[in-house]
């Protein structure tokens, strides 16, 4: 199997999982944490999409989808800070994220996924050895970064689906 095809197969699994985690939830349910200090469905899906948007834009040398659109407004945020991916958010920052709808989460994820897929389609095996982050020891290659992002996305979408189940069972 071609490396590009393998990565596309991996990342193509995420949009249906994202849709399944948020579809039909109200804005209130998207913001409802299963307990104080825990992350709600909407924040989890926003975060996984922000991390991918940030990391893929970086390796592509491109602007983030987040920055180039009207996304911040749709998520109740005052501006599209390209450095805000949700990493190390406080409970107050988590609560400040207010997606207008499940569709806003789906739309943002789909926009990032469409760009991710186009990028992956052009990759060749040799591209995966390119160093993309020298701040780690050992330095991070493109291949490691792409696997890391996919793994992070899959974990967070699983968490979102679990929190959804808790909300709907209550």
């Amino acid at each position: 199997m071609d490396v590009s095809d393998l990565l596309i197969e991996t990342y193509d699994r995420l949009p249906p999982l994202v849709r399944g985690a948020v579809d039909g939830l109200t804005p209130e349910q998207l913001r409802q944490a299963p307990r104080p200090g825990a992350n709600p469905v909407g924040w989890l899906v926003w975060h996984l999409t922000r991390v991918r948007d940030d990391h893929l834009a970086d390796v592509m040398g491109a602007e983030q989808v987040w920055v180039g659109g009207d996304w911040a407004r749709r998520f109740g945020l005052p501006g599209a800070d390209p450095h805000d991916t949700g990493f190390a958010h406080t409970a107050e920052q988590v609560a400040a994220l207010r997606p207008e709808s499940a569709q806003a989460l789906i739309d943002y994820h789909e926009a990032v996924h469409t760009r991710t897929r186009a990028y992956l389609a052009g990759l060749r095996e040799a591209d995966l050895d390119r160093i993309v982050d020298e701040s780690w020891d050992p330095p991070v290659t493109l291949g490691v970064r792409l696997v890391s992002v996919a793994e992070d996305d899959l974990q967070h979408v699983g968490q979102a689906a679990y929190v959804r189940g808790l909300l709907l069972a209550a």
Side-chain angles (χ1 to χ4, degrees):
M1 178 180 255
D2 178 79
V3 68
S4 174
D5 293 339
L6 179 63
L7 289 166
I8 289 170
E9 173 65 27
T10 301
Y11 280 87
D12 273 355
R13 292 172 184 237
L14 285 152
L17 297 173
V18 164
R19 278 190 296 279
V22 303
D23 194 38
L25 294 182
T26 66
E28 294 75 24
Q29 288 171 316
L30 292 170
R31 295 188 300 262
Q32 185 178 344
R35 68 172 186 78
N39 296 323
V41 172
W43 185 90
L44 287 163
V45 171
W46 171 83
H47 169 64
L48 74 88
T49 308
R50 285 293 300 122
V51 168
R52 188 191 324 174
D53 191 9
D54 171 74
H55 285 33
L56 268 287
D58 183 56
V59 300
M60 294 170 62
E63 182 178 74
Q64 296 173 23
V65 171
W66 179 255
V67 173
D70 188 29
W71 301 109
R73 181 195 59 76
R74 293 185 72 188
F75 288 88
L77 298 175
D81 180 353
H83 304 293
D84 184 8
T85 63
F87 184 74
H89 263 188
T90 64
E92 292 77 23
Q93 289 171 303
V94 170
L97 184 83
R98 302 180 66 79
E100 67 184 17
S101 65
Q103 194 60 51
L105 289 156
I106 292 167
D107 291 348
Y108 177 46
H109 188 267
E110 188 58 38
V112 171
H113 181 69
T114 297
R115 186 161 84 166
T116 300
R117 200 172 200 286
Y119 176 70
L120 296 175
L123 287 182
R124 299 297 163 250
E125 186 175 343
D127 297 329
L128 300 180
D129 292 328
R130 177 172 64 96
I131 302 296
V132 297
D133 188 347
E134 293 187 0
S135 67
W136 295 89
D137 185 20
V140 177
T141 64
L142 177 60
V144 167
R145 177 61 44 89
L146 293 172
V147 168
S148 174
V149 169
E151 180 264 340
D152 188 66
D153 281 5
L154 288 164
Q155 281 197 46
H156 286 311
V157 79
Q159 292 166 345
Y162 181 76
V163 173
R164 175 194 175 91
L166 293 175
L167 289 173
L168 298 179

